[in-house]
Amino acid sequence: EKIMKNNDSIMWIRIRIEGSLLKITASERQSPPKVILIDDPCNLVAKKDGEIVRVYTSAGTALVQKGDMVKKGDILVKGEQGKEGDEYNVHAKGHVIAKTFYEEIKEVKPYKIDRNRTGEKITNIFINFRGKKIFLKKTMNKFKQYDKIEDNKGPITFETYYEVKENKINLDKDSLVGKVAKELEEKITLNFDKNVIVKDKIIEKNDYKDYIEVRLLIVAEENIAKEAEMEEDMVTEPKEN
């Protein structure tokens, strides 16, 4: 709540705990779109890149067909009707269904480090006096890897070093890739609305020396058309007979 209060550009924040990690996802507040009145001439343009699958129009002239690749901002349905030389502008209406693509990539280590105490330990005892440690007992720490714990008992501090051995444990790559792919899918589909239909999921895995690269490509179908104002010099009125 404090983060959202201090930052007007954040619309919502989602927080979840995964093991020892605290994952935070934030969504940026979008400016409201400019309202186009129902009688105003307008085009339908692409709100994102895609490959055209189907075009339905009830007003306007379609400029794309199945198989066309379009970029965000391209005009899909022109707000214009009439015979050649006798065209007039209309409020374009329709749906343009396109195949869209969403990709996420993550690098993960194919192993985990298991830390275990060997049972060996050393303990130092000291007193803090004016910011300085006065040792009552001090032993040289020769452990290469260790856990350190301090226990304060009044003015006396017990500083204990526990020797630790680290073992590298290889993980099952197929299970790891599947887990990561699921995380990436959740990330991609988090803001999907009911208009988006997932048609395919493609998972690619690349092995490198110290890590695995997992790439997830989601192929979807959705209506990519949105209304857009026409330039003033393009607006023409129907001719009177």
Side-chain angles (χ1 to χ4, degrees):
E1 291 181 1
K2 186 176 180 181
I3 295 175
M4 294 179 66
K5 185 177 180 181
N6 295 332
N7 194 329
D8 294 335
S9 64
I10 296 178
M11 182 169 64
W12 56 262
I13 296 176
R14 187 178 78 168
I15 300 175
R16 63 179 178 178
I17 298 175
E18 292 186 4
S20 60
L21 298 177
L22 180 66
K23 292 197 171 184
I24 301 175
T25 304
S27 179
E28 186 177 3
R29 190 182 302 277
Q30 301 293 326
S31 299
K34 187 171 182 179
V35 177
I36 299 176
L37 299 179
I38 192 65
D39 294 328
D40 290 344
C42 72
N43 296 319
L44 296 183
V45 302
K47 57 186 176 182
K48 59 184 66 176
D49 299 353
E51 179 184 346
I52 303 302
V53 177
R54 295 180 296 278
V55 181
Y56 305 98
T57 61
S58 57
T61 303
L63 300 184
V64 294
Q65 59 185 353
K66 182 179 179 180
D68 288 347
M69 300 297 297
V70 298
K71 294 288 187 180
K72 180 179 179 180
D74 286 352
I75 298 177
L76 307 175
V77 179
K78 189 175 182 180
E80 183 179 273
Q81 288 184 174
K83 297 180 180 180
E84 185 177 352
D86 193 24
E87 299 93 346
Y88 59 92
N89 296 118
V90 297
H91 185 105
K93 298 178 183 178
H95 296 282
V96 181
I97 309 302
K99 189 182 295 183
T100 51
F101 307 90
Y102 300 85
E103 181 185 63
E104 284 289 342
I105 299 174
K106 185 175 181 179
E107 297 175 358
V108 290
K109 293 182 179 180
Y111 59 85
K112 67 176 183 178
I113 302 298
D114 191 26
R115 290 169 53 89
N116 294 295
R117 293 180 180 178
T118 65
E120 297 294 325
K121 68 177 183 178
I122 60 171
T123 301
N124 296 328
I125 304 173
F126 63 87
I127 298 172
N128 271 313
F129 182 71
R130 293 183 178 178
K132 294 183 179 181
K133 293 181 180 179
I134 300 175
F135 282 91
L136 305 178
K137 177 187 176 184
K138 185 174 183 181
T139 306
M140 183 179 293
N141 179 15
K142 295 183 179 180
F143 300 148
K144 292 183 178 180
Q145 297 168 334
Y146 56 85
D147 291 333
K148 176 184 174 183
I149 296 177
E150 289 189 359
D151 184 16
N152 297 313
K153 294 184 178 180
I156 301 176
T157 299
F158 291 82
E159 183 182 66
T160 305
Y161 293 85
Y162 297 89
E163 184 182 33
V164 171
K165 291 294 184 182
E166 293 185 347
N167 296 311
K168 183 177 179 180
I169 300 176
N170 292 324
L171 302 174
D172 181 80
K173 291 186 178 181
D174 290 338
S175 298
L176 179 62
V177 170
K179 179 182 178 182
V180 173
K182 186 176 180 180
E183 292 176 359
L184 296 179
E185 181 180 355
E186 290 178 355
K187 182 178 180 181
I188 291 174
T189 59
L190 178 64
N191 295 316
F192 276 10
D193 58 31
K194 294 180 181 179
N195 171 53
V196 183
I197 301 173
V198 175
K199 305 296 288 187
D200 196 9
K201 304 170 190 175
I202 302 170
I203 302 172
E204 292 185 0
K205 173 179 70 73
N206 295 310
D207 289 291
Y208 295 97
K209 183 178 179 181
D210 297 318
Y211 66 93
I212 296 175
E213 181 185 78
V214 181
R215 174 179 176 266
L216 175 66
L217 176 67
I218 286 185
V219 182
E221 280 189 8
E222 59 187 297
N223 177 25
I224 64 168
K226 72 172 184 177
E227 296 178 350
E229 286 186 307
M230 300 180 68
E231 297 179 7
E232 291 187 8
D233 58 355
M234 295 179 61
V235 177
T236 58
E237 298 294 336
K239 296 180 179 179
E240 296 181 0
N241 294 325

